[in-house]
Amino acid sequence: MNTSALIRPAWTPATIALMVIGFMVFWPLGFAMLAYIIWGDRLEGFKRDVNRATDGIFAGCRRGSDKAARWGSGSARTGNVAFDDWREKELERLNEERRKLDEMLTQFDEYARELRRAKDQDEFDRFMANRNKSTAPTKTDPGTGTTPTKRGKGSNLLDD
């Protein structure tokens, strides 16, 4: 580690100033700087341990993906001819079933879409019929050419 660095895990004026500024700006920054001053020299070992652990985890993932690739592809052979033939036939059968299910799903989606379209058309037709009823012109009196008005009690304020 370079001991001439300005910010290093030690009680230097720069690290103390950064710690104080960190506490004044946002207190978790001050604690982070304090932790760096106290335990910063251990970061190299910690970093090395973390790298080693993650390398082990990802190596296990690579081994698992190799197994999955071997079982998932039809070209990988196990060495047992009878088993390989049976597996290929089963995979073909499953692919055919998948294709049939996909076709059925497509047909059902088309059917449901047509039902929704028919329902929407029916609702639109009802709306238009109701709208046309409410905006239909009123009947006119053929003798006078005016619309007849209802005369009765309460129809005109002056009649009372």
Side-chain angles (χ1 to χ4, degrees):
M1 181 183 265
N2 189 359
T3 57
S4 64
L6 183 62
I7 301 173
R8 60 182 185 273
W11 293 99
T12 63
T15 57
I16 294 171
L18 284 173
M19 180 182 64
V20 170
I21 292 171
F23 275 115
M24 290 186 335
V25 172
F26 186 59
W27 63 267
L29 292 175
F31 277 122
M33 193 63 203
L34 179 63
Y36 177 71
I37 292 169
I38 296 173
W39 296 295
D41 53 346
R42 299 180 192 168
L43 285 178
E44 290 297 320
F46 177 74
K47 181 179 161 188
R48 186 177 50 249
D49 293 342
V50 168
N51 286 340
R52 194 175 302 139
T54 54
D55 287 346
I57 290 170
F58 287 118
C61 291
R62 279 192 296 273
R63 283 191 300 270
S65 68
D66 292 342
K67 285 182 183 178
R70 183 169 33 121
W71 281 98
S73 65
S75 64
R77 308 296 278 180
T78 62
N80 186 327
V81 177
F83 175 75
D84 290 339
D85 291 342
W86 172 81
R87 184 179 69 183
E88 286 178 21
K89 288 177 186 174
E90 285 296 310
L91 289 173
E92 289 173 14
R93 184 184 65 79
L94 290 172
N95 285 335
E96 181 64 24
E97 288 292 320
R98 167 67 74 174
R99 188 189 60 75
K100 287 179 184 177
L101 286 173
D102 288 342
E103 286 176 7
M104 290 168 57
L105 177 64
T106 303
Q107 290 172 355
F108 178 75
D109 286 343
E110 290 172 7
Y111 174 74
R113 191 176 316 112
E114 183 59 30
L115 281 179
R116 281 192 299 271
R117 191 201 62 73
K119 179 184 171 197
D120 290 346
Q121 184 66 45
D122 184 47
E123 289 175 356
F124 177 73
D125 290 343
R126 263 188 280 143
F127 167 75
M128 290 303 288
N130 288 339
R131 182 173 175 262
N132 288 338
K133 283 181 190 175
S134 65
T135 61
T138 57
K139 296 182 181 180
T140 59
D141 188 12
T144 62
T146 60
T147 59
T149 57
K150 291 183 181 178
R151 295 279 183 186
K153 183 118 176 114
S155 65
N156 192 349
L157 291 177
L158 299 176
D159 289 343
D160 289 338

